[in-house]
Amino acid sequence: MLVKSGSLLQRLPVSRDRLSLGILSMATQSRRFVKEFNPHITCYICKGYLIKPTTVTECLHTFCKSCIVQHFEESNDCPKCGIQVHETNPWEMLRLDNTLEEIIFKLVPGLREGEQKRESEFWKRKRPQENGEDGLPSNKRLKDDEEENDENKDYHRSDPQIAICLDCLRNNGQSGDNIVKGLMKKFIRCSRRITVGTIKKFLSLKLKLPSTYELDVLCNGEIMGKDHTMEFIYMTRWRLRGENSYPMVLQYRPRIDFG
């Protein structure tokens, strides 16, 4: 330390070899394994590394984008802490964390490349006919594509729409009340051509009812026939009875056998 000029090595009372070993030792001590960071970079839902990490702004918990979006289809609560994220639209409370995504890709070797490969393979499976990978003759493929397009046309897209509130009608002591629950999201928007039969199928799917389970759908206390359209019900049951409120309210309950 007495030398006032020259390199750092000249001023330190240690040899060059000893200094190199010291620096190597410090570098070794500062190394960390990726598994030490796993609690911070893995998804609570799927237990894998976070892919497109998305944070819930209400509680600041982060999940894979696809995991949390799918979770909110069934629940409005955070899957980790259980708080209610939003009463009706929890997706509004989600924010992508691009900075965290870059950190994870740098921490985990090969994760970015592996994810890009899986995504590419997924889209190849979803659109094999576009690349001619199905082995069919071109004229046969073209005909099949035209038939498929005809089947997939959305004939209700330009139809007049109607907003509906599907409300669970509960009767104390009625058999089936413990099976038929209220919908978490009871407001829907659909074509006016939709029939009561379709509404019943929708309710059975959402409520996960047995295939043999029957429901009654009512408007203003009157049971609606399965072939009645929403437009017919609105014109003959809802509007003509002085109901000016919007949306139209339909009630459902377990079917009552009067016979």
Side-chain angles (χ1 to χ4, degrees):
M1 299 295 294
L2 299 176
V3 181
K4 296 183 180 180
S5 62
S7 66
L8 177 63
L9 293 180
Q10 290 175 331
R11 287 182 278 148
L12 292 174
V14 292
S15 66
R16 187 184 297 270
D17 292 339
R18 289 177 61 189
L19 180 63
S20 299
L21 290 174
I23 295 174
L24 181 60
S25 176
M26 292 173 61
T28 304
Q29 293 176 359
S30 64
R31 290 178 181 175
R32 295 288 186 272
F33 292 102
V34 174
K35 65 180 181 180
E36 298 179 35
F37 300 96
N38 280 353
H40 309 288
I41 61 176
T42 53
C43 176
Y44 178 82
I45 299 176
C46 70
K47 311 303 181 185
Y49 288 116
L50 290 166
I51 301 299
K52 295 184 179 179
T54 302
T55 299
V56 181
T57 58
E58 190 70 16
C59 58
L60 300 182
H61 289 136
T62 303
F63 312 90
C64 297
K65 180 180 178 181
S66 59
C67 291
I68 190 62
V69 168
Q70 186 174 2
H71 171 80
F72 282 157
E73 292 286 346
E74 303 294 336
S75 173
N76 289 347
D77 300 336
C78 172
K80 189 169 185 179
C81 65
I83 70 166
Q84 187 181 60
V85 176
H86 195 276
E87 292 184 358
T88 58
N89 191 6
W91 296 280
E92 290 184 356
M93 313 303 289
L94 298 179
R95 297 293 184 274
L96 281 172
D97 193 337
N98 296 320
T99 302
L100 179 58
E101 182 179 40
E102 288 301 318
I103 292 174
I104 295 172
F105 282 152
K106 290 179 180 179
L107 280 175
V108 185
L111 181 62
R112 186 198 301 267
E113 293 76 11
E115 183 62 23
Q116 290 174 345
K117 182 179 179 181
R118 284 189 291 271
E119 185 175 354
S120 176
E121 291 175 350
F122 170 80
W123 286 114
K124 284 182 179 179
R125 291 194 301 268
K126 295 292 286 185
R127 297 180 300 197
Q129 294 182 355
E130 293 184 5
N131 300 324
E133 297 173 358
D134 53 6
L136 296 176
S138 58
N139 58 345
K140 172 67 174 175
R141 188 185 306 119
L142 180 60
K143 182 178 179 180
D144 290 345
D145 288 346
E146 291 175 352
E147 292 177 355
E148 182 178 357
N149 289 336
D150 288 339
E151 293 176 357
N152 293 335
K153 283 183 180 178
D154 187 356
Y155 295 102
H156 291 163
R157 182 167 306 214
S158 59
D159 280 5
Q161 304 288 300
I162 186 171
I164 301 172
C165 174
L166 296 173
D167 199 9
C168 181
L169 181 61
R170 300 184 181 278
N171 295 328
N172 294 333
Q174 180 178 319
S175 175
D177 275 353
N178 58 337
I179 299 178
V180 178
K181 308 292 184 181
L183 293 171
M184 180 178 298
K185 300 173 183 177
K186 60 182 181 179
F187 295 97
I188 66 171
R189 189 175 182 85
C190 61
S191 168
R192 287 174 175 260
R193 297 183 183 179
I194 290 294
T195 64
V196 171
T198 303
I199 294 295
K200 289 182 179 181
K201 291 180 181 179
F202 172 80
L203 289 170
S204 296
L205 180 65
K206 287 296 182 181
L207 299 174
K208 299 179 180 179
L209 299 177
S211 58
T212 57
Y213 201 87
E214 295 290 340
L215 293 172
D216 284 331
V217 173
L218 303 87
C219 181
N220 291 328
E222 180 182 353
I223 298 177
M224 297 291 100
K226 66 176 183 177
D227 295 324
H228 288 173
T229 65
M230 298 301 103
E231 183 173 18
F232 175 81
I233 296 174
Y234 178 80
M235 299 295 291
T236 63
R237 300 300 191 277
W238 187 252
R239 193 181 70 170
L240 294 183
R241 292 199 177 184
E243 297 286 355
N244 296 320
S245 59
Y246 190 80
M248 180 172 70
V249 177
L250 296 181
Q251 296 176 312
Y252 60 92
R253 69 183 183 193
R255 170 165 287 184
I256 299 176
D257 189 2
F258 295 100

